[in-house]
Amino acid sequence: MLNHAIARVLPVVPRPVVRRISSRYIAGSELDDATYTVRALNARGKMATIDVLGEEITDARETDAIAAAYEEVLAEVDRRHLDSNISVKPTALGLILDFDLCKRHLQQLVHRARVRDNFVRIDMEDATTTDATLAMYRELRAGGYDAVGVVLQASLKRTISDIGELADLRPNVRICKGIYVESREVQFRDYHAVQHSFVNSLEALLDSGCYVGIATHDEWLIQQAKRIVAERGLERDRYEFQMLLGVRPRLGDALVDEGHRLRIYVPFGSHWYEYSLRRLQENPSIAGYVASDTVGRVLRPGRNGSL
Ligand SMILES: Cc1cc2nc3c(=O)[nH]c(=O)nc-3n(C[C@H](O)[C@H](O)[C@H](O)COP(=O)(O)OP(=O)(O)OC[C@H]3O[C@@H](n4cnc5c(N)ncnc54)[C@H](O)[C@@H]3O)c2cc1C
């Protein structure tokens, strides 16, 4: 109850507090911070996917800057021999502004990734963007851009039919619950319905020959996923688990120790605020985090006593 209330008022918590308590979820503000984090993850047997923070951009020049930042990421990953691909939010590349602009950016990034033997994951955002994002994915694939994958959200009622419609492309899909709160018309709200949809979606994707990124920290779903891949006798290079930086790292260690592949989502950049709010709102111990940070600051005030 308290957690729920705190999660709702987070948008009025001062930004410096949000920044401090969300630092575990973000590699830092610079590319060097991200590559440092990825190197440490790789050393622990974990792959990565780097996200340049930025979303719902409304100015075409900003999309150029984000696209350039991703090109730099691909070059740096290559130069440093890191095991990391990239995850891209279509609205950060202009999806809402201009579909063709976004498509040109994505084509360029997928081309650059292909040349470097790498891969681009198109993140999925809120339900108003699902049609455009899936259309974009289909157009990229039709144009011969193959080093690219998409995301489907198990909490959306449409997902099982989207899997059927995409099947001819044998897409590389990340399946996750989905972070955005949508209307009841389009989204399952019941916890068990979402779990059921996740399991059904994973089975349908694997049965249509897709490579699947299983993105969850939910222990029951991870058990189900292990059962599903074992029943199908899948080699470890036919699927991977995926988790977010800073969320349940011990659970991730256990998956790696059992021989599964695991990829960690590593966000970095100056646009940290919206991403941080989403992660904090999902943290079941948010009240404890905010309280310990605030109490800590009261007991150890900064030089000017401010937060
Ligand atoms: C690699 C990756 C990529 C993703 N990409 C997308 C995307 O493109 N589009 C999209 O809509 N969503 C995306 N998501 C977010 C996802 O849909 C969920 O919002 C998020 O992963 C939490 O769902 P869960 O399956 O872990 O289950 P939950 O039931 O939310 O969490 C299971 C358990 O994990 C722990 N946990 C979860 N979140 C936190 C947290 N923030 N802090 C501390 N503990 C936590 C808790 O112990 C919780 O009980 C992605 C998630 C991952 C892991």
Side-chain angles (χ1 to χ4, degrees), residues 60-111:
R61 277 166 310 180
E62 286 180 75
T63 69
D64 295 343
I66 295 273
Y70 271 111
E71 290 199 16
E72 230 183 295
V73 172
L74 286 169
E76 205 56 14
V77 163
D78 197 18
R79 199 175 69 75
R80 294 177 187 248
H81 306 293
L82 298 173
D83 189 346
S84 179
N85 58 37
I86 56 174
S87 284
V88 178
K89 287 201 170 35
T91 62
L93 293 178
L95 184 73
I96 293 171
L97 212 59
D98 177 348
F99 185 90
D100 290 330
L101 170 75
C102 179
K103 185 173 165 187
R104 283 197 299 279
H105 282 314
L106 276 168
Q107 283 173 329
Q108 174 82 346
L109 281 177
V110 177
H111 169 69

Side-chain angles (χ1 to χ4, degrees), residues 24-25 49 89 122-125 151 153 174 176-180 191 195 198 215-219 221 242-244 246-248 263-265 278-285:
R24 63 187 278 208
Y25 301 121
T49 184
K89 287 201 170 35
I122 306 175
D123 283 345
M124 187 59 82
E125 300 173 86
V151 177
Q153 297 152 322
R174 172 195 296 152
C176 64
K177 288 185 184 177
I179 179 67
Y180 302 92
Y191 174 79
Q195 304 291 92
F198 194 112
T216 184
H217 319 91
D218 181 316
E219 287 183 55
L221 282 181
Q242 299 186 350
M243 292 186 175
L244 301 172
V247 179
R248 311 213 60 185
R263 188 178 301 279
I264 305 296
Y265 191 97
R278 288 203 296 274
R279 293 289 78 81
L280 289 172
Q281 282 164 339
E282 280 191 317
N283 186 329
S285 320

Side-chain angles (χ1 to χ4, degrees), residues 5-6 11 17 19 78 87 94 104 109 133 138 140 164 186 190 197 201 211 215 219 246 255-256 259 263 292 297 307:
I6 294 213
V17 176
R19 174 147 209 170
D78 197 18
S87 284
R104 283 197 299 279
L109 281 177
T133 304
R138 189 168 273 286
L140 288 169
V186 301
D190 175 63
S197 168
S201 301
Y211 181 93
E219 287 183 55
L255 283 170
V256 171
R263 188 178 301 279
S292 66
R297 296 299 292 178
L307 279 173

